[in-house]
Amino acid sequence: MTASKTIATLLAGCLAAAIVVVAVLPPAAASAGPGSPRTAIVSLGDSFISGEGGRWLGNGSEAFGTRSGTDRAAFDCDALGFCDYDPERIYGASDANECHRSDLAPIRSAPIAVDEHLNLACSGARARNLWPASMGGRPHFGEPPEADQLAELARRLEVRLVLVTIGANDVGFGELVAGCALDWARSDPAAPELCHGYAQDEIDTLLPRARRRVARVLDGVRRTMHAAGYSRRDYRLVLSGYTSPFPASRWLRYPERGWSRLTEGGCPLWDADADWAAGPGIDSIVGALRRVAAGGGAEFLDLRHALDGHQVCDSRSRRVGDAGPSEAGAEWVRRLSFTEGTTRESLHPNAYGQRALGRCLALLYTRPRGEWSCRAEPGRPIAEAISLEPLGG
């Protein structure tokens, strides 16, 4: 196999992502639905919201051991720096079926005062994996459709908020970004192979169908909640968008020439493609989701700027070194890596990024229903960095 094919295979495996699913559900209680004494918030979706990548506290400069203290799965490290690794410490039972629901996934880390924070999202999910089975929903990784899992929760608990994040896999955003990285790896600055033209054409082609499928997700959630005895006043339904794992090219701290963007930073792509990913590429997906939310009676949470200053290879953040992790200075997105953890974790919000997204959700929970934009300020800890403002026109 050639180096290019190897990179293509690994990148495609690592980036086709998608979101959310939870633990074993206890038996239904006698008291149920909106009248239950126990309250809950629930998330449905793909890898972006399930917690894929939550193993990592920033991106360390060391290849082994605790990886500069960033690898939360490391344990029993000896004096020579050799460690054992157990991803189940982070992903629990979902490590086995690769749903990868992190202990710090946004729904779980959000400081919202309810009894249960429940994550039904699953890595790799598409919209059809969220529809109820009665609407054509399909199982994913051996689990029932996420709306059917929600139905059981809604009958047992008083669900006050349902967060949905889905759609990126339906337009193949992860595979397209993988293609961008491959184009970078097999060309040079004198004649760069750029991806953004064909990638945007692909997204534009698939978005109409994706919008219809996400609208069906929201319809399925509303029907599920209604069947469990809820009116629309009883809970908040929030559709959230995504953010690019890369900043715009002016913020990339590694040059286009040479291999440092791959070997040191884990962000292999040309400047023009980074600008596309951080701009028109993600904007087109988020804009479509916002229109779906408006037409489906849901609130919308725009996350395009929620990790600003902390994306992979961003010059306003840094790799973790001897001093150990620091949320104010670390990258909040997992670097592309073929040797540490799994490639599927790459280019997803890491533990810090998931806590930041959880902070966005908690701020939304305190605001009136509507459209909101979450933003991060570089160089500050999460509690100070994250703010929420009304989403403009």
Side-chain angles (χ1 to χ4, degrees), residues 19 46 125-127 165-173 207 210 214 242 285 289:
I19 329 196
D46 57 27
R126 300 189 179 203
T165 310
I166 199 70
N169 289 334
D170 290 86
V171 297
F173 187 70
L207 266 179
V214 176
Y242 298 87
I285 296 172
L289 292 176

Side-chain angles (χ1 to χ4, degrees), residues 132-187:
S134 61
M135 295 175 60
R138 300 183 185 181
H140 180 58
F141 287 170
E143 297 187 351
E146 293 179 24
D148 291 343
Q149 297 181 60
L150 173 65
E152 185 171 350
L153 293 175
R155 290 190 295 268
R156 180 172 62 86
L157 303 165
E158 181 180 296
V159 174
R160 294 185 173 178
L161 177 143
V162 179
L163 172 66
V164 176
T165 310
I166 199 70
N169 289 334
D170 290 86
V171 297
F173 187 70
E175 291 93 334
L176 291 170
V177 174
C180 294
L182 178 59
D183 289 342
W184 176 89
R186 66 188 177 190
S187 60

Side-chain angles (χ1 to χ4, degrees), residues 9 29 33 39 41 47 75 78 109-110 126 141 153 156 177 191 196 200 210 212 223 316 328 353 360 370 385:
T9 300
T39 57
I41 56 176
S47 59
F75 69 102
D78 62 25
S109 62
R126 300 189 179 203
F141 287 170
L153 293 175
R156 180 172 62 86
V177 174
H196 59 272
Q200 190 62 55
R212 293 192 296 271
R223 293 187 185 199
R316 294 166 289 182
C360 294

